[in-house]
Amino acid sequence: MPTTQIPQYLQDRFSADTSLHQAIQQSLNVHGVRPDALLLYLQSKPGYPNDGNKSVPALHIIVDAGEANPFERWSAARRDVTALLDDHGFDEIEVEIQDPERFYQPSLFPIHPNHPAVSIYKSVREELLARIHDSIGSVWNSLCLLEVGRAANLKKPTIVIMVDPLAERDWGILKASLEAVINRKGLPPGKLPVEIMPGGCADDPPNPRDLQSRPGKSFLDDFETHPHHGTSISVRGEIGGGTLGGYFLMKSPTETHKGFLTNSHVVAPASTESPSAILEYDLLGLSYTAPSENAGRTWVYHFAPNDVDATRKHAEQRLQSLKPELANIDEQLKQRKESGASPQAGLVSLRAQMIQQIEQTESRLSQVKTMPRLQGRTIVASGRRLTHEMKTLDYAFVETSSIGNNRLPTDRDFGNREARPEELGIGALNLLLPEVCRSFTTIRPGRWYFKSGRTTGLTSGICNGVEAWIRPTAQHTLFDARGAVLKVRRFGRKLQVDEETGRLKYDEKGKPMESEDEDDVHYASEWVIVNATIDGRTVKNQQAFCDKGDSGSLLVDNYGRVAGILWGDVTGYCGPLGKRTIYSGAGLVNDIDDVKASLKTQLGWSQDANVDCLQLP
């Protein structure tokens, strides 16, 4: 909410209207709001004229939030002050009630799993979610306990609710209602506050228009003829995609397949396929026994076409820069030779380096011109699946003719700007990475993990001490512990499934048949990976763990063990409409144990079969 100084003529006119000032003070007294100051500024904000892109006059009523100025009184006070301004001829002035200590772009930090606030939060979160659902319906996007503050040294446990940007509700009343539930646990007011922020969860299948407009990324300086884990992939027919997670051996009762893991939504049928085929894939995935002509058996390529274009342009630009520089060095060496001077050692060395770089770039450019290259075909995928524990599954296995190893970074590759557990008070980190991934582990709250993704590359973060409850924005299929379909539903509804075939039922118009959903609130319970930056020895603020295009990245712990797969993110927004920026990008992840259990059922193994269906090469 950027502010600038108000024009002097408006400031003078406002200051001269003493009767207005008295009326505003009386109105605030009636509502029990005690202001510290009334300040007039120009500011922009979502919801203001011109979608918030133009600054308008706004009266800032500065208060100290707390028991003396409870939030539930703010909305009514703001409405009455706005009406007074209109009556006095100041209808162009907006009204904001603000506490400067809360007026900042917040950073979200992971909370320790053993923090006392975790048990309190778990005891009330079902009631909180029910109240949120009853009050604002499908406007809510996530509910989670985190540590929140301007920086790590100012953080404190806070229940964070992310809602649709620009949603209009009486947030003060909702906040007070939720904090009343918490305070019944015997906590003093404000000890475990609630913060409502604009933000959401990226769990939808990618919109084709988003894929088409997603900027390409150059891989010129990270180029290998055989794709490595963390690199760019896409399906035939789309120009954008996601990340090749890592290489594995997948064992069915009849054969062993070589290939790699990624997300189901990364290798979903192209947007040119029929809507019914795309919906069927999203909800039920791709069966291991599906016929070859099934739309879900997608052909997968490396790199994604938009990344091929970016890499090619980068190579061409580099050559356009290097060749004139080499010609200039040759001219300098020629002039020295003609003048009888000996060649300058530095120039000779630089010339050799430039020739080597030109040859390498030309070689890579010739290879890029043959891309995208076919890497394999999807043979099994989860679709939009929920486990019986209400955790999302989003995985796919792409069969390839050959596989690479899952080479791990070294300690030096991480740099020194990302916070480690000990810097956030969550425990010490021993980084003991082998050369390649050799084993599996499970996701544990409070533990440190890293990923290598197509967009943000190598980043690390800490698993939050308690799961986030998110409102799925896409339809999900809910399976029982044995892999049988229980229901297909979205927030507030479910779709009918044929009990014999396990496929969706359609009406005569070809639309999926709906039935009334039960009264419970539909949510998914997800592990969240949160990152933070540091400056020297001081933890500063949150930074993105992931971004669009990182989906499919493997989650690996400090011992080099595969723990899960990144499939989505929780994002917070700030700024006016059209210029919105993401100030947080926490990762949503699948536990690899859940992936293996689901794969075991998908591949046709019996539940009691003692077999490891997913192995590292």
Side-chain angles (χ1 to χ4, degrees), residues 464-481:
N464 194 46
V466 62
E467 303 98 320
W469 284 4
I470 70 169
R471 178 182 67 84
T473 55
Q475 293 163 339
H476 281 65
T477 306
L478 182 62
F479 290 78
D480 65 15

Side-chain angles (χ1 to χ4, degrees), residues 375-397:
Q375 291 303 315
R377 196 176 192 188
T378 308
I379 60 174
V380 64
S382 63
R384 311 297 295 176
R385 186 174 293 229
L386 283 177
T387 70
H388 64 288
E389 294 180 338
M390 303 305 292
K391 283 188 164 45
T392 297
L393 278 176
D394 187 344
Y395 66 84
F397 187 88

Side-chain angles (χ1 to χ4, degrees), residues 231-250:
T231 196
S232 160
I233 56 173
S234 71
V235 300
R236 183 165 61 191
E238 299 290 357
I239 70 166
T243 296
L244 187 160
Y247 291 101
F248 296 88
L249 301 175
M250 186 180 71

Side-chain angles (χ1 to χ4, degrees), residues 393-415:
L393 278 176
D394 187 344
Y395 66 84
F397 187 88
V398 178
E399 186 174 31
T400 60
S401 59
S402 63
I403 59 176
N405 59 44
N406 300 312
R407 188 174 65 247
L408 295 173
T410 65
D411 190 14
R412 292 190 301 272
D413 294 325
F414 289 97

Side-chain angles (χ1 to χ4, degrees), residues 97-283:
I97 303 180
Q98 300 170 347
D99 178 356
E101 291 301 315
R102 296 169 180 260
F103 186 62
Y104 59 87
Q105 179 175 297
S107 281
L108 311 179
F109 300 97
I111 193 167
H112 194 289
N114 295 330
H115 194 290
V118 172
S119 59
I120 296 172
Y121 169 70
K122 287 182 176 180
S123 70
V124 298
R125 61 181 171 181
E126 287 191 9
E127 185 176 352
L128 294 178
L129 183 57
R131 288 204 178 197
I132 293 168
H133 176 59
D134 291 343
S135 299
I136 62 175
S138 60
V139 169
W140 79 280
N141 292 314
S142 68
L143 168 67
C144 190
L145 175 68
L146 295 146
E147 297 236 53
V148 179
R150 194 190 309 260
N153 62 323
L154 301 172
K155 63 184 173 67
K156 64 179 181 179
T158 304
I159 296 173
V160 176
I161 303 161
M162 288 193 173
V163 300
D164 288 347
L166 301 182
E168 295 186 6
R169 298 291 191 279
D170 195 326
W171 303 116
I173 290 178
L174 175 60
K175 175 181 169 68
S177 171
L178 299 177
E179 290 183 345
V181 173
I182 301 164
N183 294 340
R184 286 206 302 268
K185 292 293 179 179
L187 291 176
K191 188 68 174 178
L192 185 55
V194 171
E195 290 292 346
I196 303 171
M197 306 177 183
C201 304
D203 74 315
D204 267 326
N207 186 308
R209 286 175 296 181
D210 293 339
L211 291 176
Q212 302 298 332
S213 62
R214 185 177 297 172
K217 177 182 177 181
S218 171
F219 284 85
L220 184 61
D221 295 321
D222 185 24
F223 192 92
E224 295 184 19
T225 54
H226 189 80
H228 57 81
H229 72 100
T231 196
S232 160
I233 56 173
S234 71
V235 300
R236 183 165 61 191
E238 299 290 357
I239 70 166
T243 296
L244 187 160
Y247 291 101
F248 296 88
L249 301 175
M250 186 180 71
K251 188 175 182 180
S252 78
T254 57
E255 62 181 308
T256 298
H257 301 271
K258 295 180 292 186
F260 60 83
L261 276 180
T262 186
N263 286 147
S264 177
H265 76 262
V266 168
V267 294
S271 55
T272 52
E273 295 288 347
S274 69
S276 61
I278 294 173
L279 178 61
E280 199 86 21
Y281 176 89
D282 287 341
L283 295 181

